[in-house]
Amino acid sequence: MMIHTSSAQAPTFEEYAGSAWPSLYRYAYLLAGNHADAEDLAQQTLLKAYGAWSRVELADSPMAYLRKTLTNTYLSQRRPQKRRLEVLTDAPPAVGPPPGGGPEDLAENRLVVWPHVTSLPPRQRAVVVLRYYEQLSEQEIADVLGCSRGTVKSSAHHALKALRAALDSATDDHGRGV
């Protein structure tokens, strides 16, 4: 994400944060699954970025830096998941038409898959969101998660296997009238 100001100066933190917020919030929402947690994640990420702005603005890709910070914050908050007493829910994010066209029912298919994505373990969910919603490459995902490409591939494999099993089970249940 590049911001052009009237002078040759780099953007201020406030300018960058304002332009990065929509993308950062969308990614946080896809990870967290609800509005309140997504806002908290995105705000925590920007607070951390503010404290390290001199490093962030010099990074090759400030958005990659923010995405990695957000992902690490999300994963570290999810570790004590068994102790969480409440679960907030919201409707899934709005899904626009696929880039370059495609089947008209793709948005509907994504809505069918979304509840199953939210049930994945945090790291697998992060891999699925980064790959299929944020359109990052395996190497970019590895950089965000701080792991190897092999770990990304393995996590994606396990996540897709779990999603297939969940969808097959839902189809079987639906087919039997349950």
Side-chain angles (χ1 to χ4, degrees):
M1 177 176 288
M2 188 71 166
I3 299 177
H4 297 287
T5 58
S6 57
S7 66
Q9 294 179 333
T12 64
F13 171 78
E14 292 78 9
E15 291 169 336
Y16 189 80
S19 68
W21 177 261
S23 176
L24 201 60
Y25 172 79
R26 176 180 177 267
Y27 175 51
Y29 186 93
L30 291 170
L31 287 178
N34 68 70
H35 171 71
D37 288 344
E39 276 195 339
D40 287 348
L41 272 173
Q43 289 172 3
Q44 288 173 17
T45 299
L46 289 176
L47 281 172
K48 290 175 182 180
Y50 180 74
W53 183 243
S54 60
R55 285 191 314 256
V56 175
E57 70 180 335
L58 295 176
D60 290 338
S61 173
M63 182 49 84
Y65 188 101
L66 292 177
R67 194 178 288 122
K68 183 172 186 168
T69 301
L70 190 145
T71 302
N72 289 338
T73 302
Y74 167 74
L75 291 174
S76 68
Q77 288 178 349
R78 302 305 289 187
R79 285 190 184 109
Q81 186 174 5
K82 293 178 184 173
R83 293 255 177 204
R84 192 172 186 140
L85 299 177
E86 63 182 279
V87 177
L88 302 174
T89 60
D90 256 349
V95 180
E104 290 180 3
D105 61 46
L106 182 58
E108 185 176 320
N109 290 339
R110 285 184 178 175
L111 293 177
V112 169
V113 172
W114 181 248
H116 302 290
V117 171
T118 62
S119 69
L120 291 172
R123 184 170 289 271
Q124 288 179 14
R125 183 173 177 174
V127 168
V128 168
V129 168
L130 289 168
R131 180 67 185 109
Y132 298 102
Y133 288 84
E134 294 294 319
Q135 305 290 316
L136 297 185
S137 70
E138 288 173 349
Q139 186 58 55
E140 290 170 322
I141 296 168
D143 292 343
V144 168
L145 295 177
C147 63
S148 70
R149 284 182 63 207
T151 300
V152 170
K153 288 180 182 184
S154 175
S155 294
H157 170 77
H158 291 296
L160 293 176
K161 184 177 176 181
L163 289 173
R164 282 186 198 103
L167 290 172
D168 287 346
S169 175
T171 301
D172 289 347
D173 290 346
H174 182 13
R176 286 187 218 132
V178 174

